[in-house]
Amino acid sequence: MGNSSTNNNELIVNERFATDLKTSDFYYDLPEELIAQSPSSERDKCRLMVVSRADSSIENKIFSDIIEYLNPEDMIVVNSSKVIPARLLGKTDKTGSDMELLLLRALEDGSWETLVRPGKRARVGASFTFGDILRATVTNVVDGGNRIVSFDYDKQKYQNIYEVLDIIGNMPLPPYITKKLERKEDYQTVYAKAEGSAAAPTAGLHFTEELLDRIRAKGVGYGEVTLHVGLGTFRPVKVERIEEHLMHGEYFFVSEEVAAEINRRRKAGGRIIAVGTTSCRVLESASDDSGIVHPISGETGIFIYPGYKFKATDALITNFHLPESTLLMLVSALATKELVMEAYQKAVEGRYRFFSFGDAMLIV
């Protein structure tokens, strides 16, 4: 589905299409010890698997080698969304019991949609205190059990809620990472700017400022888009028929300048390389059926799985994803399920590191 609108708050929903593939077709066996618990000591020194769609070849490289696969007329597109320290640990005002709050997304009226544990202590009207500088009050319960909360803090002392979160919030690491994060910046890309994500666009974690400078010096284009990553991206697919899975909407934005540069480079024969599945979803949500990318902001619920026809993404830099996940389905749509599952088997055999802090893959 294409869209050329620049209207705010437009909901982009991918057209569903029939497929014979089932969720179970995307299962693979992953030894638990291959799940990376901490980032590489040097961002761009992790391993890189290069998968070629042209000849089905699979190469093993180091991430900094990626510059060898980029041509001067190409352009990389990154997601500059910034992860907020969205996990709050506090107490109920009524009994002093422990509470955990995970901020999912900001709403227009200043309140937030959140995930609260335990939910039984989060009825409408309940309030919690975090670090003596923030109070949350539940104002509504929405579908799926998420809570809408309003926040109260000293607005003369703190400019906005993000300043408060920087002091008392914790990074919302995925549940498969059990090791404590030593530095918040380890779960943040070097180009992160727009605050709003509940999880990092992890393919971008491998880039350093020095590597980006080298890429630009080669003549390769660089553009930033925004997609605020919500937990819906990582929710397991619980239906066997893929097309029945519902993606939750996530805010995204493409500027006029970035859209124009993408279209200019592509018209001149360059490739558009999405850094991460989130950047890919932005490109596909913002493009029309002719592959023209338009400036736009709104929400996207696009779901990409095998059978999808890509319009604006020519190559993809990504991490290794969970079995049976929508992210693995997206990657399989770009490079075929057979080739991707072969690459994953080789990654397991080669002891690659998996998931958020793991190694990378380039699909060309």
Side-chain angles (χ1 to χ4, degrees):
M1 189 203 85
N3 195 301
S4 59
S5 170
T6 56
N7 294 335
N8 288 330
N9 302 318
E10 175 131 2
L11 182 64
I12 312 293
V13 179
N14 186 34
E15 297 170 357
R16 293 293 189 265
F17 47 89
T19 177
D20 292 331
L21 292 171
K22 298 180 174 60
T23 300
S24 55
D25 291 325
F26 295 89
Y27 176 81
Y28 67 93
D29 191 31
L30 179 68
E32 190 174 339
E33 66 267 20
L34 296 186
I35 300 174
Q37 293 297 314
S38 56
S40 299
S41 56
E42 296 181 76
R43 287 179 183 246
D44 63 350
K45 295 300 184 285
C46 71
R47 298 171 72 186
L48 174 70
M49 178 176 283
V50 181
V51 178
S52 170
R53 290 175 291 168
D55 60 7
S56 299
S57 64
I58 297 172
E59 294 181 278
N60 298 300
K61 296 284 186 175
I62 301 298
F63 190 81
S64 56
D65 295 333
I66 202 160
I67 195 167
E68 299 172 10
Y69 297 88
L70 304 177
N71 302 318
E73 61 270 20
D74 294 340
M75 180 173 180
I76 62 170
V77 176
V78 306
N79 179 10
S80 63
S81 181
K82 188 174 184 179
V83 187
I84 59 175
R87 184 169 173 255
L88 298 172
L89 304 175
K91 304 284 186 181
T92 62
D93 285 353
K94 190 173 182 180
T95 65
S97 302
D98 291 340
M99 292 295 300
E100 180 179 343
L101 201 70
L102 183 64
L103 278 63
L104 300 179
R105 62 179 182 135
L107 304 179
E108 289 185 4
D109 63 0
S111 60
W112 283 74
E113 183 177 350
T114 67
L115 183 65
V116 183
R117 296 191 184 99
K120 62 184 179 182
R121 296 180 190 153
R123 296 185 176 90
V124 173
S127 57
F128 327 113
T129 302
F130 304 94
D132 297 328
I133 62 173
L134 182 68
R135 172 172 280 126
T137 302
V138 179
T139 60
N140 196 11
V141 180
V142 295
D143 291 345
N146 290 349
R147 267 62 173 179
I148 307 300
V149 304
S150 60
F151 286 115
D152 184 35
Y153 55 92
D154 188 341
K155 292 181 173 63
Q156 290 186 324
K157 187 174 182 180
Y158 304 105
Q159 212 170 24
N160 52 44
I161 186 67
Y162 299 112
E163 283 193 8
V164 179
L165 294 175
D166 279 339
I167 297 170
I168 62 171
N170 300 283
M171 284 306 214
L173 294 178
Y176 50 76
I177 295 177
T178 57
K179 186 177 178 180
K180 183 176 174 58
L181 186 66
E182 293 183 6
R183 302 181 305 169
K184 286 181 179 179
E185 58 265 31
D186 284 343
Y187 195 56
Q188 206 79 265
T189 63
V190 296
Y191 44 73
K193 293 182 180 69
E195 293 172 310
S197 275
T202 54
L205 294 178
H206 309 297
F207 285 94
T208 63
E209 294 284 9
E210 189 269 340
L211 178 58
L212 287 171
D213 286 344
R214 288 173 56 211
I215 288 171
R216 293 189 192 98
K218 189 175 181 178
V220 179
Y222 170 85
E224 295 177 356
V225 297
T226 299
L227 184 140
H228 289 326
V229 186
L231 293 186
T233 300
F234 305 101
R235 281 186 174 155
V237 180
K238 295 182 177 179
V239 293
E240 186 64 357
R241 289 172 56 86
I242 290 172
E243 59 266 38
E244 293 176 1
H245 176 72
L246 179 65
M247 296 284 284
H248 290 251
E250 295 167 311
Y251 171 82
F252 78 108
F253 169 75
V254 181
S255 69
E256 289 188 17
E257 295 78 13
V258 169
E261 183 64 6
I262 289 171
N263 295 330
R264 185 189 72 78
R265 291 218 172 223
R266 215 154 182 242
K267 187 176 181 181
R271 298 171 302 166
I272 304 305
I273 295 118
V275 177
T277 57
T278 57
S279 299
C280 175
R281 292 176 68 232
V282 169
L283 288 168
E284 296 306 307
S285 297
S287 58
D288 60 29
D289 291 333
S290 300
I292 303 297
V293 173
H294 298 266
I296 185 172
S297 67
E299 282 202 348
T300 180
I302 192 169
F303 180 21
I304 297 173
Y305 52 92
Y308 178 85
K309 303 300 181 187
F310 287 85
K311 302 185 291 292
T313 306
D314 300 304
L316 176 67
I317 300 166
T318 188
N319 278 20
F320 290 88
H321 303 295
L322 276 71
E324 300 184 332
S325 64
T326 59
L327 306 179
L328 180 54
M329 294 172 189
L330 182 153
V331 173
S332 299
L334 186 64
T336 77
K337 185 184 80 73
E338 293 74 21
L339 182 55
V340 167
M341 298 309 280
E342 178 189 349
Y344 269 58
Q345 183 60 39
K346 288 184 181 295
V348 171
E349 293 170 357
R351 309 295 289 177
Y352 270 70
R353 301 166 80 240
F354 279 68
F355 306 161
S356 294
F357 284 140
D359 296 316
M361 174 185 286
L362 169 65
I363 299 174
V364 291

